[in-house]
Amino acid sequence: MPDSADLAPLAISLPILVACLLLAGGARLPRRAVDATATSAAAAVVLLDLALLMATLHGPVVTWSGGWTPKNGVSVGVVLVADPVGAGAALTAAILMVLALVYSWSYFDSAQGHFHALMLLFLAGMTGFALSGDLFNMFVFFELMGAVAYALTGHKIEEPTSVQGALSFGLINSLGAYLTLFGIGLLYSRTGQLGLAQLAVALSGRPPDVLVAVAFCLVATGLLVKAAIVPFHLWLDDVHAVAPTPVCVLFSGIMVELGLYGIMRVYTVAFAGALPEADVHRVLLVLGTLSAVVGAIMCFAQRHLKRLLAYSTIAHLGLFLVAFATFSAEGSQGALLYAAAHSAVKAALFLIAGVILNRYGGVDELDLHGRGRDATLLPWLMLLGGFALAGLPPFGSALGKAVAEEAVARAGQPWGPAVFVLVSALTGAAVIRAALRIYFGAGSGPPKSSSTVEMTGSDEEAEVGGLLRRVPLTMLVPIVVLLTGALALGVVPGVAAAVGAAADRFGDRAGYLTQTLGAVPTGPLAAVGPTAHGGWTVSGVALGLLSATLAALFAATALYRDRLPSVATTPARWVSPALNGLRAAHSGHVGDYVTWLFVGVAVLCGFLVLPLLR
């Protein structure tokens, strides 16, 4: 076994090396050899990340590339810093990559190794981003993720919608990245530092600074775009609608979560104390709540399965951000638990959507009415995923939701649990409704909407050579594994405590700086956040059961709304104009997306910069 300091560089370099080999020789290898090589490389990264995670239990694992360790707190070296949260994020990315590659064994008959090479490069970018302790190198890995993601989104170059989605993705994410790079430049001009720990030392003890606040807003913009937080989110559903199913697993399962991880890592280490915490809390709380509500409404209003799941991701990322915005260890614990379970559930649901597309030739919920009556296992797996998304105990999503709700309420937002319940119920209801309609023929076949801005999914094409007559085990097994993992996070003893300890370490700024710079910080840098002690509670279980029950009721109401008395449908008529406005805002025009991006920048600066100008 390599030394613990060598694990992080190996986890990054191994997939890059194998990707290069596949690009050079993939066209000459049999398809099964390409599949086996790529999957084995991803599995090796899982083992490396697991060993790294175990090593972080004794303290952060710091690797200074080339031996360029700090001298008097200053270094020009590239540093990788692994703590339980960063190593856990890298491990999650690697596990999802293995399952996505296994699922794709029946895909892309003419890929010749290019798809597999891109997937491994994507894994390298995500791993490097999660483990980087340097702001500029986070940007480098951020761009590696982005460049590969553009190519994966537009992998089906023969389809115009695929190319259009990739171009929208590339433009919006690149624009966000340029703003981040500009913010990094401002910080470097002010401090002469790029390492997160060095930035923390350079910014400590200074009064709030307009230039630093602007720099944080710009750095956060690119990360908020990657995290698909409203109003930076508009690209996400377009991308998920056209990207191959295994790629959607990675986008919703870990890439957007890494954007949120980046925001909290950068703020917690480098900017805590340099900006007014109340202002940062306020803007993150507003953006998180807005994302949760908008995402949930748009999710419930979809008939295109992949867009439905994409908006569900936006909604849940908003909930995670609300929990993180408490700046408490318990809030971080809840967000981490919730995010881990959500990754597994959402990945499984996207794989089910891929099976539906390749089994029945579409992802339009209404067109697929009753088409899946011959299925046996998948209907129940999809229903299970919908209830897990709604927060049904004892799934890990319910445990994370319970801890996050408690943390948000304790932080002074008594309305927080209600938002968590309603958002979870709406997103879960959308999946349950689709499962009942497709697999059980439920509902009375409501008329299709005449809205010109609603995306139907009726024109989606299968991703395999011909429609599947039966679902192969390589597609079925990853779904079962993912849902089992989501359940295990809620029932295995010690999981909540382990994540709580990881959350404590995530907020331990002093420990991070001590391990990275080799010096014990003093003064304001020495503070350590409160200890997390969240777990299953009576109120948490009750709210989980409530959100699951509401999800079932919402799904039944949507399926049988023509049988309800007119008074019961009055609220829907009131909401309809607002819903049409939301749909129109999600126009698919990249110019509109750019406009909303700069609206988001203005909101950030309004919350964080304007108070400093008074």
Side-chain angles (χ1 to χ4, degrees):
M1 175 64 66
D3 184 82
S4 60
D6 297 327
L7 293 170
L10 280 173
I12 298 169
S13 58
L14 177 62
I16 295 176
L17 175 62
V18 177
C20 292
L21 293 175
L22 288 176
L23 286 174
R28 304 179 185 86
L29 293 174
R31 170 59 193 268
R32 292 307 178 197
V34 173
D35 286 334
T37 301
T39 307
S40 298
V45 176
V46 169
L47 296 178
L48 290 170
D49 288 339
L50 183 59
L52 183 61
L53 179 61
M54 293 297 102
T56 63
L57 299 181
H58 306 290
V61 177
V62 181
T63 305
W64 288 94
S65 301
W68 290 89
T69 55
K71 302 298 182 183
N72 299 320
V74 178
S75 174
V76 296
V78 175
V79 62
L80 299 173
V81 183
D83 66 352
V85 174
L91 178 61
T92 301
I95 292 172
L96 289 179
M97 181 62 70
V98 170
L99 296 174
L101 287 171
V102 170
Y103 183 90
S104 68
W105 285 359
S106 300
Y107 277 55
F108 309 124
D109 293 335
S110 60
Q112 297 181 346
H114 294 100
F115 171 77
H116 302 78
L118 288 171
M119 293 284 273
L120 290 176
L121 290 174
F122 194 36
L123 175 58
M126 292 188 291
T127 304
F129 183 85
L131 301 179
S132 180
D134 181 282
L135 189 56
F136 183 77
N137 286 293
M138 287 181 75
F139 169 78
V140 171
F141 288 117
F142 178 96
E143 279 298 276
L144 175 58
M145 270 196 293
V148 176
Y150 311 152
L152 287 169
T153 301
H155 188 78
K156 297 180 285 186
I157 57 174
E158 69 280 1
E159 298 181 14
T161 55
S162 179
V163 176
Q164 181 182 359
L167 288 175
S168 296
F169 187 9
L171 180 60
I172 300 303
N173 279 264
S174 293
L175 186 56
Y178 296 150
L179 294 174
T180 292
L181 184 59
F182 189 46
I184 293 172
L186 290 178
L187 286 173
Y188 187 69
S189 69
R190 171 56 60 90
T191 66
Q193 303 291 338
L194 291 172
L196 294 179
Q198 293 94 320
L199 280 169
V201 174
L203 295 174
S204 66
R206 296 187 178 188
D209 186 310
V210 170
L211 186 144
V212 172
V214 170
F216 175 76
C217 290
L218 294 175
V219 170
T221 294
L223 298 172
L224 287 167
V225 169
K226 192 70 75 180
I229 296 298
V230 173
F232 306 96
H233 69 294
L234 293 163
W235 58 273
L236 188 74
D237 69 306
D238 289 345
V239 168
H240 280 77
V242 299
T245 297
V247 177
C248 292
V249 167
L250 300 172
F251 284 177
S252 262
I254 185 62
M255 184 186 75
V256 292
E257 284 84 354
L258 283 176
L260 207 56
Y261 161 84
I263 295 166
M264 299 312 300
R265 174 66 78 193
V266 169
Y267 174 77
T268 301
V269 176
F271 287 94
L275 297 173
E277 182 176 293
D279 292 342
V280 179
H281 161 76
R282 191 176 301 112
V283 68
L284 295 183
L285 185 65
V286 168
L287 293 179
T289 304
L290 191 61
S291 299
V293 173
V294 170
I297 293 172
M298 288 297 294
C299 171
F300 192 72
Q302 297 302 306
R303 53 191 275 193
H304 187 300
L305 288 182
K306 293 172 76 175
R307 290 182 185 272
L308 181 156
L309 295 174
Y311 282 115
S312 168
T313 296
I314 293 168
H316 283 87
L317 262 291
L319 295 180
F320 306 157
L321 185 56
V322 168
F324 271 129
T326 63
F327 297 136
S328 66
E330 187 180 16
S332 296
Q333 178 197 18
L336 292 170
L337 272 168
Y338 207 168
H342 171 268
S343 293
V345 173
K346 187 55 61 63
L349 289 172
F350 264 112
L351 294 183
I352 292 172
V355 170
I356 291 172
L357 174 61
N358 294 296
R359 181 77 173 82
Y360 307 112
V363 288
D364 187 330
E365 176 187 332
L366 299 184
D367 281 348
L368 293 168
H369 184 265
R371 293 278 302 279
R373 285 192 178 97
D374 60 333
T376 53
L377 181 59
L378 281 172
W380 304 106
L381 292 177
M382 190 171 181
L383 282 175
L384 202 61
F387 279 108
L389 206 61
L392 177 67
F395 280 96
S397 51
L399 176 57
K401 172 175 165 291
V403 176
E405 288 167 343
E406 186 73 20
V408 171
R410 287 181 180 176
Q413 281 78 44
W415 46 265
V419 172
F420 275 74
V421 168
L422 288 175
V423 168
S424 300
L426 280 173
T427 55
V431 175
I432 295 166
R433 180 197 68 206
L436 292 173
R437 180 170 277 147
I438 295 169
Y439 285 113
F440 297 92
S444 51
K448 299 181 181 181
S449 170
S450 58
S451 171
T452 58
V453 294
E454 185 177 7
M455 304 297 179
T456 67
S458 58
D459 57 347
E460 296 293 331
E461 297 182 3
E463 299 169 325
V464 294
L467 293 182
L468 299 172
R469 294 187 176 181
R470 56 179 297 274
V471 182
L473 283 177
T474 54
M475 291 184 175
L476 188 60
V477 169
I479 297 170
V480 175
V481 169
L482 287 165
L483 289 176
T484 302
L487 180 62
L489 287 172
V491 300
V492 173
V495 169
V499 176
D504 289 340
R505 297 270 293 280
F506 187 75
D508 183 5
R509 195 181 187 208
Y512 186 100
L513 300 183
T514 299
Q515 292 294 323
T516 304
L517 301 178
V520 179
T522 58
L525 296 179
V528 179
T531 301
H533 293 293
W536 286 115
T537 60
V538 173
S539 62
V541 172
L543 289 176
L545 293 173
L546 175 62
S547 61
T549 302
L550 287 175
L553 290 175
F554 290 159
T557 301
L559 288 169
Y560 298 103
R561 66 176 180 266
D562 60 328
R563 303 182 188 180
L564 297 175
S566 59
V567 66
T569 60
T570 300
R573 291 195 295 271
W574 291 344
V575 172
S576 182
L579 178 59
N580 289 334
L582 278 177
R583 282 175 168 158
H586 297 75
S587 62
H589 297 295
V590 71
D592 294 344
Y593 297 177
V594 172
T595 300
W596 281 109
L597 185 150
F598 282 103
V599 168
V601 175
V603 169
L604 285 175
C605 291
F607 275 98
L608 300 180
V609 178
L610 289 182
L612 300 178
L613 297 175
R614 294 173 182 170

